[in-house]
Amino acid sequence: MYGKSSLINRLSNKNRQVVENKPGVTTKKQWIRIGNNIELLDTPGVLWPKFETENIALNLAYTGTIKDEILDNVEIAYNLVKYLLNNYRTNLVETYKLDNEQVEEILKNETQMENENIMDVMRLIGKKRGAIISGGNIDETKTANIIIKDFREAKIGKITLERVNVS
């Protein structure tokens, strides 16, 4: 992923700006000369204080635009898995080598709430990826971090978070 600082480094052919694959690394404004008559201003990123919908906020969280430190990654991964199950189930099943019939069975379980069914799918992913803690339980935080990282690195496939409604 490239941000403003990465772009400035590439244009200036120097590594003056500190860059990382996460938001919030640039903390102050800085002018960078990239040619005799060209200077670029590198600034910290700015997000608007209130998002129009929860989906916009979630999409920004999935992609890492919002700092992970201020979010509950289990909740973010839960919503991402829910979205993927509804729109990209094959990608999810294939990426984590899940049994599609088992996933279907979990999702059709009417003896528990939908949110618990989705958490059960996340636990399956955690088990497949070795996120097991004492007592054979699944580490939900580690599982969430795996899912989010895999999504951001496109290991789950090419995913579109926003779709155009065709009327």
Side-chain angles (χ1 to χ4, degrees):
M1 296 180 100
Y2 290 103
K4 294 182 297 295
S5 300
S6 296
L7 177 63
I8 289 171
N9 281 344
R10 291 192 96 183
L11 290 173
S12 67
N13 292 320
K14 296 180 179 150
N15 287 324
R16 292 182 180 172
Q17 304 306 95
V18 177
V19 296
E20 290 186 36
N21 193 12
K22 66 179 187 173
V25 174
T26 303
T27 57
K28 63 181 182 172
K29 295 178 187 178
Q30 183 177 0
W31 285 97
I32 306 296
R33 182 178 301 275
I34 64 167
N36 289 340
N37 297 320
I38 300 174
E39 289 186 6
L40 296 175
L41 177 62
D42 193 12
T43 62
V46 178
L47 287 174
W48 50 102
K50 184 176 179 183
F51 302 112
E52 293 175 27
T53 67
E54 182 182 0
N55 280 346
I56 290 172
L58 287 171
N59 290 349
L60 291 169
Y62 301 154
T63 59
T65 303
I66 301 172
K67 285 185 181 183
D68 288 332
E69 295 80 21
I70 64 172
L71 302 170
D72 177 2
N73 276 356
V74 175
E75 183 178 343
I76 298 304
Y78 164 87
N79 283 288
L80 178 58
V81 168
K82 181 177 179 180
Y83 177 81
L84 294 172
L85 286 168
N86 289 327
N87 298 285
Y88 293 92
R89 186 173 301 175
T90 302
N91 293 53
L92 196 66
V93 166
E94 289 177 0
T95 299
Y96 296 108
K97 297 176 179 45
L98 305 176
D99 179 340
N100 193 47
E101 290 178 18
Q102 186 179 16
V103 170
E104 287 289 330
E105 194 174 302
I106 290 170
L107 295 175
K108 290 180 180 177
N109 183 353
E110 295 179 7
T111 62
Q112 57 187 21
M113 302 289 284
E114 177 194 38
N115 63 334
E116 193 56 39
N117 292 344
I118 293 168
M119 287 302 296
D120 283 349
V121 173
M122 286 179 63
R123 289 182 194 106
L124 259 181
I125 293 169
K127 185 175 181 182
K128 288 282 187 175
R129 292 297 301 271
I132 300 169
I133 53 178
S134 63
N137 295 318
I138 304 301
D139 184 334
E140 291 177 356
T141 301
K142 184 174 181 181
T143 300
N145 291 336
I146 289 168
I147 293 166
I148 292 168
K149 183 176 186 283
D150 288 348
F151 173 78
R152 290 177 183 167
E153 293 177 356
K155 291 180 180 176
I156 300 174
K158 294 180 179 179
I159 307 295
T160 300
L161 294 174
E162 294 181 347
R163 295 173 176 236
V164 176
N165 291 329
V166 180
S167 304

